[in-house]
Amino acid sequence: MTATRRRLAQELGVVTGFEDPVAALEQYHTPPDLAAHIVHVADLQGDIEDETVLDLGCGTGMLSLGAALRSPARVVGVELDADALVTARENERRVGARADVAWVRGDATRLPLCPPDCTVLMNPPFGAQDGNEHADRAFLETAAEVARVSYSVHNAGSESFVESFVADNDGEVTHAFQAELELPHQFDHHETEAGVVDAEVFRIRWRDGA
């Protein structure tokens, strides 16, 4: 029986975040509630079950493992940070993933593998760091190349940018909803102890039939 969204969030509550987050990579822990929401919506849309799910910039595995609890054909998490992948493998054991998960070290914007038309899940960097502006664009470019459909988290106010990019790449935004990201005090440039960042999640259809 398919787990409810609340149950999925509870299962993902054991997933640990980055031990030593890298500011340049904008490494933040995806909240279990948000991951459960994204995966639940994707499952309802028929984008998880029996599908190949690709998590771009998977970090410590939150979205990958959420998908792995929902009957995909397989899940592939791609992450540049080797330490994060070590944690992702540990999280896989904690969660007790019920599907095959492959953890691949590589640049999500220059994929080291060629998956078939797949479902992409991603919480890419927003491009908030100097020299890293529009970092989420490169992730969208990868999704446009390989995905049948994708789900991505972006900074609030990104709707016009996302819709314009998608239209230019023959895709379509089919769903959008607001979300919140907890921003802990983990880097020197943070001026407050913790905060909440408004975000937006988009479902994008890149291939016919999605």
PDB file of all heavy atoms in Angstrom, residues 65-103:
ATOM      1  N   LEU A  65      15.917   9.106  -1.702  1.00  0.00           N
ATOM      2  CA  LEU A  65      15.386   8.102  -0.794  1.00  0.00           C
ATOM      3  C   LEU A  65      13.870   8.205  -0.670  1.00  0.00           C
ATOM      4  O   LEU A  65      13.187   7.183  -0.499  1.00  0.00           O
ATOM      5  CB  LEU A  65      16.061   8.223   0.567  1.00  0.00           C
ATOM      6  CG  LEU A  65      17.560   7.911   0.521  1.00  0.00           C
ATOM      7  CD1 LEU A  65      18.227   8.234   1.850  1.00  0.00           C
ATOM      8  CD2 LEU A  65      17.795   6.455   0.146  1.00  0.00           C
ATOM      9  N   GLY A  66      13.338   9.418  -0.800  1.00  0.00           N
ATOM     10  CA  GLY A  66      11.888   9.546  -0.850  1.00  0.00           C
ATOM     11  C   GLY A  66      11.319   8.790  -2.030  1.00  0.00           C
ATOM     12  O   GLY A  66      10.334   8.050  -1.912  1.00  0.00           O
ATOM     13  N   ALA A  67      11.954   8.941  -3.187  1.00  0.00           N
ATOM     14  CA  ALA A  67      11.509   8.222  -4.380  1.00  0.00           C
ATOM     15  C   ALA A  67      11.678   6.719  -4.218  1.00  0.00           C
ATOM     16  O   ALA A  67      10.839   5.925  -4.671  1.00  0.00           O
ATOM     17  CB  ALA A  67      12.276   8.715  -5.607  1.00  0.00           C
ATOM     18  N   ALA A  68      12.764   6.310  -3.563  1.00  0.00           N
ATOM     19  CA  ALA A  68      13.054   4.885  -3.392  1.00  0.00           C
ATOM     20  C   ALA A  68      12.038   4.181  -2.502  1.00  0.00           C
ATOM     21  O   ALA A  68      11.960   2.956  -2.494  1.00  0.00           O
ATOM     22  CB  ALA A  68      14.453   4.703  -2.818  1.00  0.00           C
ATOM     23  N   LEU A  69      11.239   4.952  -1.772  1.00  0.00           N
ATOM     24  CA  LEU A  69      10.186   4.384  -0.933  1.00  0.00           C
ATOM     25  C   LEU A  69       8.849   4.303  -1.650  1.00  0.00           C
ATOM     26  O   LEU A  69       7.842   3.940  -1.047  1.00  0.00           O
ATOM     27  CB  LEU A  69      10.037   5.231   0.346  1.00  0.00           C
ATOM     28  CG  LEU A  69      11.230   5.196   1.306  1.00  0.00           C
ATOM     29  CD1 LEU A  69      11.081   6.260   2.388  1.00  0.00           C
ATOM     30  CD2 LEU A  69      11.374   3.820   1.935  1.00  0.00           C
ATOM     31  N   ARG A  70       8.854   4.639  -2.948  1.00  0.00           N
ATOM     32  CA  ARG A  70       7.610   4.685  -3.708  1.00  0.00           C
ATOM     33  C   ARG A  70       7.653   3.857  -4.997  1.00  0.00           C
ATOM     34  O   ARG A  70       7.208   4.298  -6.037  1.00  0.00           O
ATOM     35  CB  ARG A  70       7.258   6.136  -4.026  1.00  0.00           C
ATOM     36  CG  ARG A  70       6.778   6.951  -2.818  1.00  0.00           C
ATOM     37  CD  ARG A  70       5.434   6.431  -2.302  1.00  0.00           C
ATOM     38  NE  ARG A  70       4.942   7.212  -1.174  1.00  0.00           N
ATOM     39  CZ  ARG A  70       4.098   8.237  -1.293  1.00  0.00           C
ATOM     40  NH1 ARG A  70       3.702   8.625  -2.476  1.00  0.00           N
ATOM     41  NH2 ARG A  70       3.668   8.859  -0.218  1.00  0.00           N
ATOM     42  N   SER A  71       8.238   2.707  -4.999  1.00  0.00           N
ATOM     43  CA  SER A  71       8.164   1.718  -6.082  1.00  0.00           C
ATOM     44  C   SER A  71       8.671   2.175  -7.443  1.00  0.00           C
ATOM     45  O   SER A  71       8.050   1.892  -8.473  1.00  0.00           O
ATOM     46  CB  SER A  71       6.720   1.200  -6.230  1.00  0.00           C
ATOM     47  OG  SER A  71       6.246   0.661  -5.025  1.00  0.00           O
ATOM     48  N   PRO A  72       9.802   2.879  -7.512  1.00  0.00           N
ATOM     49  CA  PRO A  72      10.373   3.201  -8.834  1.00  0.00           C
ATOM     50  C   PRO A  72      11.059   1.976  -9.421  1.00  0.00           C
ATOM     51  O   PRO A  72      11.310   0.995  -8.702  1.00  0.00           O
ATOM     52  CB  PRO A  72      11.404   4.279  -8.489  1.00  0.00           C
ATOM     53  CG  PRO A  72      11.887   3.869  -7.136  1.00  0.00           C
ATOM     54  CD  PRO A  72      10.674   3.332  -6.412  1.00  0.00           C
ATOM     55  N   ALA A  73      11.363   2.042 -10.707  1.00  0.00           N
ATOM     56  CA  ALA A  73      12.169   0.975 -11.298  1.00  0.00           C
ATOM     57  C   ALA A  73      13.572   1.016 -10.713  1.00  0.00           C
ATOM     58  O   ALA A  73      14.153  -0.019 -10.374  1.00  0.00           O
ATOM     59  CB  ALA A  73      12.215   1.127 -12.815  1.00  0.00           C
ATOM     60  N   ARG A  74      14.105   2.203 -10.602  1.00  0.00           N
ATOM     61  CA  ARG A  74      15.401   2.415  -9.964  1.00  0.00           C
ATOM     62  C   ARG A  74      15.569   3.902  -9.705  1.00  0.00           C
ATOM     63  O   ARG A  74      14.873   4.740 -10.280  1.00  0.00           O
ATOM     64  CB  ARG A  74      16.550   1.915 -10.836  1.00  0.00           C
ATOM     65  CG  ARG A  74      16.699   2.650 -12.163  1.00  0.00           C
ATOM     66  CD  ARG A  74      17.969   2.258 -12.871  1.00  0.00           C
ATOM     67  NE  ARG A  74      18.121   2.968 -14.145  1.00  0.00           N
ATOM     68  CZ  ARG A  74      19.278   3.203 -14.738  1.00  0.00           C
ATOM     69  NH1 ARG A  74      20.390   2.786 -14.182  1.00  0.00           N
ATOM     70  NH2 ARG A  74      19.337   3.842 -15.888  1.00  0.00           N
ATOM     71  N   VAL A  75      16.527   4.219  -8.835  1.00  0.00           N
ATOM     72  CA  VAL A  75      16.834   5.602  -8.501  1.00  0.00           C
ATOM     73  C   VAL A  75      18.330   5.813  -8.662  1.00  0.00           C
ATOM     74  O   VAL A  75      19.135   4.960  -8.267  1.00  0.00           O
ATOM     75  CB  VAL A  75      16.433   5.939  -7.046  1.00  0.00           C
ATOM     76  CG1 VAL A  75      16.816   7.371  -6.698  1.00  0.00           C
ATOM     77  CG2 VAL A  75      14.941   5.716  -6.835  1.00  0.00           C
ATOM     78  N   VAL A  76      18.690   6.954  -9.261  1.00  0.00           N
ATOM     79  CA  VAL A  76      20.098   7.321  -9.406  1.00  0.00           C
ATOM     80  C   VAL A  76      20.292   8.701  -8.801  1.00  0.00           C
ATOM     81  O   VAL A  76      19.622   9.662  -9.194  1.00  0.00           O
ATOM     82  CB  VAL A  76      20.537   7.336 -10.886  1.00  0.00           C
ATOM     83  CG1 VAL A  76      22.013   7.727 -10.993  1.00  0.00           C
ATOM     84  CG2 VAL A  76      20.289   5.988 -11.544  1.00  0.00           C
ATOM     85  N   GLY A  77      21.196   8.800  -7.828  1.00  0.00           N
ATOM     86  CA  GLY A  77      21.527  10.084  -7.228  1.00  0.00           C
ATOM     87  C   GLY A  77      22.900  10.533  -7.690  1.00  0.00           C
ATOM     88  O   GLY A  77      23.864   9.777  -7.558  1.00  0.00           O
ATOM     89  N   VAL A  78      22.982  11.719  -8.243  1.00  0.00           N
ATOM     90  CA  VAL A  78      24.250  12.260  -8.756  1.00  0.00           C
ATOM     91  C   VAL A  78      24.680  13.422  -7.873  1.00  0.00           C
ATOM     92  O   VAL A  78      23.907  14.360  -7.642  1.00  0.00           O
ATOM     93  CB  VAL A  78      24.109  12.734 -10.216  1.00  0.00           C
ATOM     94  CG1 VAL A  78      25.435  13.303 -10.723  1.00  0.00           C
ATOM     95  CG2 VAL A  78      23.651  11.597 -11.112  1.00  0.00           C
ATOM     96  N   GLU A  79      25.916  13.357  -7.380  1.00  0.00           N
ATOM     97  CA  GLU A  79      26.405  14.373  -6.454  1.00  0.00           C
ATOM     98  C   GLU A  79      27.901  14.566  -6.633  1.00  0.00           C
ATOM     99  O   GLU A  79      28.653  13.607  -6.790  1.00  0.00           O
ATOM    100  CB  GLU A  79      26.098  13.954  -5.016  1.00  0.00           C
ATOM    101  CG  GLU A  79      26.718  14.805  -3.939  1.00  0.00           C
ATOM    102  CD  GLU A  79      26.306  16.276  -4.012  1.00  0.00           C
ATOM    103  OE1 GLU A  79      25.109  16.555  -4.210  1.00  0.00           O
ATOM    104  OE2 GLU A  79      27.200  17.147  -3.880  1.00  0.00           O
ATOM    105  N   LEU A  80      28.343  15.825  -6.618  1.00  0.00           N
ATOM    106  CA  LEU A  80      29.752  16.159  -6.803  1.00  0.00           C
ATOM    107  C   LEU A  80      30.577  15.915  -5.543  1.00  0.00           C
ATOM    108  O   LEU A  80      31.756  15.571  -5.610  1.00  0.00           O
ATOM    109  CB  LEU A  80      29.867  17.630  -7.233  1.00  0.00           C
ATOM    110  CG  LEU A  80      31.232  18.145  -7.676  1.00  0.00           C
ATOM    111  CD1 LEU A  80      31.721  17.388  -8.910  1.00  0.00           C
ATOM    112  CD2 LEU A  80      31.157  19.635  -7.987  1.00  0.00           C
ATOM    113  N   ASP A  81      29.960  16.078  -4.394  1.00  0.00           N
ATOM    114  CA  ASP A  81      30.666  16.011  -3.110  1.00  0.00           C
ATOM    115  C   ASP A  81      30.743  14.564  -2.616  1.00  0.00           C
ATOM    116  O   ASP A  81      29.726  13.961  -2.270  1.00  0.00           O
ATOM    117  CB  ASP A  81      29.927  16.877  -2.090  1.00  0.00           C
ATOM    118  CG  ASP A  81      30.622  16.937  -0.742  1.00  0.00           C
ATOM    119  OD1 ASP A  81      31.667  16.277  -0.574  1.00  0.00           O
ATOM    120  OD2 ASP A  81      30.112  17.638   0.146  1.00  0.00           O
ATOM    121  N   ALA A  82      31.953  14.019  -2.569  1.00  0.00           N
ATOM    122  CA  ALA A  82      32.133  12.623  -2.158  1.00  0.00           C
ATOM    123  C   ALA A  82      31.676  12.392  -0.724  1.00  0.00           C
ATOM    124  O   ALA A  82      31.110  11.337  -0.408  1.00  0.00           O
ATOM    125  CB  ALA A  82      33.597  12.220  -2.316  1.00  0.00           C
ATOM    126  N   ASP A  83      31.920  13.348   0.164  1.00  0.00           N
ATOM    127  CA  ASP A  83      31.509  13.190   1.559  1.00  0.00           C
ATOM    128  C   ASP A  83      29.988  13.094   1.678  1.00  0.00           C
ATOM    129  O   ASP A  83      29.457  12.327   2.493  1.00  0.00           O
ATOM    130  CB  ASP A  83      32.022  14.352   2.403  1.00  0.00           C
ATOM    131  CG  ASP A  83      33.536  14.324   2.582  1.00  0.00           C
ATOM    132  OD1 ASP A  83      34.128  13.232   2.422  1.00  0.00           O
ATOM    133  OD2 ASP A  83      34.120  15.378   2.880  1.00  0.00           O
ATOM    134  N   ALA A  84      29.288  13.876   0.870  1.00  0.00           N
ATOM    135  CA  ALA A  84      27.826  13.831   0.897  1.00  0.00           C
ATOM    136  C   ALA A  84      27.325  12.458   0.465  1.00  0.00           C
ATOM    137  O   ALA A  84      26.340  11.939   1.012  1.00  0.00           O
ATOM    138  CB  ALA A  84      27.248  14.917  -0.012  1.00  0.00           C
ATOM    139  N   LEU A  85      27.997  11.854  -0.501  1.00  0.00           N
ATOM    140  CA  LEU A  85      27.586  10.524  -0.957  1.00  0.00           C
ATOM    141  C   LEU A  85      27.812   9.463   0.104  1.00  0.00           C
ATOM    142  O   LEU A  85      27.049   8.493   0.200  1.00  0.00           O
ATOM    143  CB  LEU A  85      28.326  10.160  -2.247  1.00  0.00           C
ATOM    144  CG  LEU A  85      27.885  10.905  -3.501  1.00  0.00           C
ATOM    145  CD1 LEU A  85      28.716  10.466  -4.700  1.00  0.00           C
ATOM    146  CD2 LEU A  85      26.402  10.675  -3.779  1.00  0.00           C
ATOM    147  N   VAL A  86      28.868   9.619   0.894  1.00  0.00           N
ATOM    148  CA  VAL A  86      29.078   8.692   2.016  1.00  0.00           C
ATOM    149  C   VAL A  86      27.883   8.759   2.965  1.00  0.00           C
ATOM    150  O   VAL A  86      27.346   7.727   3.396  1.00  0.00           O
ATOM    151  CB  VAL A  86      30.384   9.036   2.767  1.00  0.00           C
ATOM    152  CG1 VAL A  86      30.481   8.227   4.059  1.00  0.00           C
ATOM    153  CG2 VAL A  86      31.587   8.747   1.883  1.00  0.00           C
ATOM    154  N   THR A  87      27.451   9.983   3.263  1.00  0.00           N
ATOM    155  CA  THR A  87      26.285  10.162   4.137  1.00  0.00           C
ATOM    156  C   THR A  87      25.025   9.624   3.473  1.00  0.00           C
ATOM    157  O   THR A  87      24.169   9.034   4.141  1.00  0.00           O
ATOM    158  CB  THR A  87      26.105  11.641   4.490  1.00  0.00           C
ATOM    159  OG1 THR A  87      27.308  12.140   5.094  1.00  0.00           O
ATOM    160  CG2 THR A  87      24.947  11.842   5.450  1.00  0.00           C
ATOM    161  N   ALA A  88      24.896   9.809   2.164  1.00  0.00           N
ATOM    162  CA  ALA A  88      23.722   9.312   1.440  1.00  0.00           C
ATOM    163  C   ALA A  88      23.616   7.795   1.563  1.00  0.00           C
ATOM    164  O   ALA A  88      22.516   7.252   1.764  1.00  0.00           O
ATOM    165  CB  ALA A  88      23.790   9.726  -0.027  1.00  0.00           C
ATOM    166  N   ARG A  89      24.735   7.103   1.452  1.00  0.00           N
ATOM    167  CA  ARG A  89      24.717   5.642   1.581  1.00  0.00           C
ATOM    168  C   ARG A  89      24.326   5.228   2.995  1.00  0.00           C
ATOM    169  O   ARG A  89      23.599   4.248   3.192  1.00  0.00           O
ATOM    170  CB  ARG A  89      26.085   5.074   1.201  1.00  0.00           C
ATOM    171  CG  ARG A  89      26.421   5.232  -0.285  1.00  0.00           C
ATOM    172  CD  ARG A  89      27.717   4.522  -0.647  1.00  0.00           C
ATOM    173  NE  ARG A  89      28.025   4.677  -2.060  1.00  0.00           N
ATOM    174  CZ  ARG A  89      28.819   5.618  -2.555  1.00  0.00           C
ATOM    175  NH1 ARG A  89      29.394   6.500  -1.740  1.00  0.00           N
ATOM    176  NH2 ARG A  89      29.042   5.694  -3.847  1.00  0.00           N
ATOM    177  N   GLU A  90      24.806   5.969   3.977  1.00  0.00           N
ATOM    178  CA  GLU A  90      24.416   5.695   5.363  1.00  0.00           C
ATOM    179  C   GLU A  90      22.922   5.944   5.548  1.00  0.00           C
ATOM    180  O   GLU A  90      22.230   5.183   6.233  1.00  0.00           O
ATOM    181  CB  GLU A  90      25.233   6.569   6.310  1.00  0.00           C
ATOM    182  CG  GLU A  90      26.721   6.242   6.330  1.00  0.00           C
ATOM    183  CD  GLU A  90      27.535   7.253   7.120  1.00  0.00           C
ATOM    184  OE1 GLU A  90      26.958   8.291   7.526  1.00  0.00           O
ATOM    185  OE2 GLU A  90      28.741   7.013   7.326  1.00  0.00           O
ATOM    186  N   ASN A  91      22.417   7.014   4.932  1.00  0.00           N
ATOM    187  CA  ASN A  91      20.994   7.318   5.014  1.00  0.00           C
ATOM    188  C   ASN A  91      20.147   6.242   4.340  1.00  0.00           C
ATOM    189  O   ASN A  91      19.038   5.944   4.797  1.00  0.00           O
ATOM    190  CB  ASN A  91      20.706   8.682   4.389  1.00  0.00           C
ATOM    191  CG  ASN A  91      21.124   9.838   5.282  1.00  0.00           C
ATOM    192  OD1 ASN A  91      21.115   9.729   6.503  1.00  0.00           O
ATOM    193  ND2 ASN A  91      21.503  10.951   4.668  1.00  0.00           N
ATOM    194  N   GLU A  92      20.669   5.676   3.266  1.00  0.00           N
ATOM    195  CA  GLU A  92      19.940   4.595   2.586  1.00  0.00           C
ATOM    196  C   GLU A  92      19.706   3.429   3.540  1.00  0.00           C
ATOM    197  O   GLU A  92      18.629   2.830   3.570  1.00  0.00           O
ATOM    198  CB  GLU A  92      20.726   4.135   1.360  1.00  0.00           C
ATOM    199  CG  GLU A  92      20.026   3.047   0.560  1.00  0.00           C
ATOM    200  CD  GLU A  92      20.839   2.566  -0.630  1.00  0.00           C
ATOM    201  OE1 GLU A  92      21.937   3.105  -0.861  1.00  0.00           O
ATOM    202  OE2 GLU A  92      20.376   1.641  -1.320  1.00  0.00           O
ATOM    203  N   ARG A  93      20.714   3.110   4.331  1.00  0.00           N
ATOM    204  CA  ARG A  93      20.566   2.026   5.305  1.00  0.00           C
ATOM    205  C   ARG A  93      19.579   2.416   6.408  1.00  0.00           C
ATOM    206  O   ARG A  93      18.786   1.586   6.863  1.00  0.00           O
ATOM    207  CB  ARG A  93      21.932   1.679   5.904  1.00  0.00           C
ATOM    208  CG  ARG A  93      22.878   0.996   4.913  1.00  0.00           C
ATOM    209  CD  ARG A  93      24.099   0.436   5.610  1.00  0.00           C
ATOM    210  NE  ARG A  93      24.991   1.497   6.077  1.00  0.00           N
ATOM    211  CZ  ARG A  93      25.960   2.025   5.338  1.00  0.00           C
ATOM    212  NH1 ARG A  93      26.152   1.604   4.102  1.00  0.00           N
ATOM    213  NH2 ARG A  93      26.745   2.969   5.838  1.00  0.00           N
ATOM    214  N   ARG A  94      19.627   3.674   6.825  1.00  0.00           N
ATOM    215  CA  ARG A  94      18.712   4.128   7.877  1.00  0.00           C
ATOM    216  C   ARG A  94      17.256   4.039   7.423  1.00  0.00           C
ATOM    217  O   ARG A  94      16.372   3.623   8.173  1.00  0.00           O
ATOM    218  CB  ARG A  94      19.035   5.569   8.271  1.00  0.00           C
ATOM    219  CG  ARG A  94      20.335   5.779   9.013  1.00  0.00           C
ATOM    220  CD  ARG A  94      20.428   7.203   9.549  1.00  0.00           C
ATOM    221  NE  ARG A  94      21.712   7.452  10.189  1.00  0.00           N
ATOM    222  CZ  ARG A  94      22.761   8.006   9.581  1.00  0.00           C
ATOM    223  NH1 ARG A  94      22.648   8.403   8.317  1.00  0.00           N
ATOM    224  NH2 ARG A  94      23.893   8.194  10.218  1.00  0.00           N
ATOM    225  N   VAL A  95      17.017   4.479   6.206  1.00  0.00           N
ATOM    226  CA  VAL A  95      15.654   4.533   5.681  1.00  0.00           C
ATOM    227  C   VAL A  95      15.126   3.137   5.354  1.00  0.00           C
ATOM    228  O   VAL A  95      13.932   2.861   5.480  1.00  0.00           O
ATOM    229  CB  VAL A  95      15.602   5.445   4.433  1.00  0.00           C
ATOM    230  CG1 VAL A  95      14.288   5.285   3.680  1.00  0.00           C
ATOM    231  CG2 VAL A  95      15.790   6.899   4.842  1.00  0.00           C
ATOM    232  N   GLY A  96      16.024   2.263   4.921  1.00  0.00           N
ATOM    233  CA  GLY A  96      15.590   0.944   4.477  1.00  0.00           C
ATOM    234  C   GLY A  96      14.908   1.031   3.125  1.00  0.00           C
ATOM    235  O   GLY A  96      13.783   0.536   2.948  1.00  0.00           O
ATOM    236  N   ALA A  97      15.576   1.683   2.176  1.00  0.00           N
ATOM    237  CA  ALA A  97      15.009   1.894   0.839  1.00  0.00           C
ATOM    238  C   ALA A  97      14.578   0.571   0.218  1.00  0.00           C
ATOM    239  O   ALA A  97      15.287  -0.435   0.292  1.00  0.00           O
ATOM    240  CB  ALA A  97      16.025   2.591  -0.055  1.00  0.00           C
ATOM    241  N   ARG A  98      13.407   0.588  -0.410  1.00  0.00           N
ATOM    242  CA  ARG A  98      12.837  -0.628  -0.974  1.00  0.00           C
ATOM    243  C   ARG A  98      13.078  -0.751  -2.475  1.00  0.00           C
ATOM    244  O   ARG A  98      12.500  -1.606  -3.135  1.00  0.00           O
ATOM    245  CB  ARG A  98      11.338  -0.669  -0.673  1.00  0.00           C
ATOM    246  CG  ARG A  98      11.037  -0.718   0.826  1.00  0.00           C
ATOM    247  CD  ARG A  98       9.561  -0.864   1.107  1.00  0.00           C
ATOM    248  NE  ARG A  98       8.823   0.359   0.873  1.00  0.00           N
ATOM    249  CZ  ARG A  98       8.629   1.304   1.801  1.00  0.00           C
ATOM    250  NH1 ARG A  98       9.180   1.171   3.005  1.00  0.00           N
ATOM    251  NH2 ARG A  98       7.913   2.372   1.536  1.00  0.00           N
ATOM    252  N   ALA A  99      13.921   0.104  -3.012  1.00  0.00           N
ATOM    253  CA  ALA A  99      14.250   0.038  -4.435  1.00  0.00           C
ATOM    254  C   ALA A  99      15.756   0.209  -4.594  1.00  0.00           C
ATOM    255  O   ALA A  99      16.433   0.702  -3.705  1.00  0.00           O
ATOM    256  CB  ALA A  99      13.509   1.133  -5.212  1.00  0.00           C
ATOM    257  N   ASP A 100      16.247  -0.194  -5.742  1.00  0.00           N
ATOM    258  CA  ASP A 100      17.672  -0.076  -6.021  1.00  0.00           C
ATOM    259  C   ASP A 100      18.056   1.394  -6.164  1.00  0.00           C
ATOM    260  O   ASP A 100      17.422   2.139  -6.911  1.00  0.00           O
ATOM    261  CB  ASP A 100      18.004  -0.832  -7.314  1.00  0.00           C
ATOM    262  CG  ASP A 100      19.473  -0.723  -7.689  1.00  0.00           C
ATOM    263  OD1 ASP A 100      20.314  -0.903  -6.799  1.00  0.00           O
ATOM    264  OD2 ASP A 100      19.762  -0.455  -8.863  1.00  0.00           O
ATOM    265  N   VAL A 101      19.070   1.806  -5.410  1.00  0.00           N
ATOM    266  CA  VAL A 101      19.566   3.182  -5.494  1.00  0.00           C
ATOM    267  C   VAL A 101      21.046   3.145  -5.869  1.00  0.00           C
ATOM    268  O   VAL A 101      21.844   2.482  -5.208  1.00  0.00           O
ATOM    269  CB  VAL A 101      19.403   3.944  -4.164  1.00  0.00           C
ATOM    270  CG1 VAL A 101      19.871   5.393  -4.323  1.00  0.00           C
ATOM    271  CG2 VAL A 101      17.958   3.910  -3.677  1.00  0.00           C
ATOM    272  N   ALA A 102      21.397   3.837  -6.938  1.00  0.00           N
ATOM    273  CA  ALA A 102      22.796   3.957  -7.350  1.00  0.00           C
ATOM    274  C   ALA A 102      23.264   5.374  -7.037  1.00  0.00           C
ATOM    275  O   ALA A 102      22.614   6.348  -7.432  1.00  0.00           O
ATOM    276  CB  ALA A 102      22.946   3.674  -8.847  1.00  0.00           C
ATOM    277  N   TRP A 103      24.371   5.474  -6.314  1.00  0.00           N
ATOM    278  CA  TRP A 103      24.947   6.782  -5.975  1.00  0.00           C
ATOM    279  C   TRP A 103      26.145   7.022  -6.878  1.00  0.00           C
ATOM    280  O   TRP A 103      27.080   6.237  -6.900  1.00  0.00           O
ATOM    281  CB  TRP A 103      25.372   6.811  -4.512  1.00  0.00           C
ATOM    282  CG  TRP A 103      24.260   6.467  -3.561  1.00  0.00           C
ATOM    283  CD1 TRP A 103      24.110   5.297  -2.868  1.00  0.00           C
ATOM    284  CD2 TRP A 103      23.131   7.277  -3.221  1.00  0.00           C
ATOM    285  NE1 TRP A 103      22.967   5.334  -2.107  1.00  0.00           N
ATOM    286  CE2 TRP A 103      22.352   6.538  -2.292  1.00  0.00           C
ATOM    287  CE3 TRP A 103      22.713   8.556  -3.588  1.00  0.00           C
ATOM    288  CZ2 TRP A 103      21.169   7.036  -1.742  1.00  0.00           C
ATOM    289  CZ3 TRP A 103      21.539   9.052  -3.047  1.00  0.00           C
ATOM    290  CH2 TRP A 103      20.778   8.306  -2.135  1.00  0.00           C
TER     291      TRP A 103
END
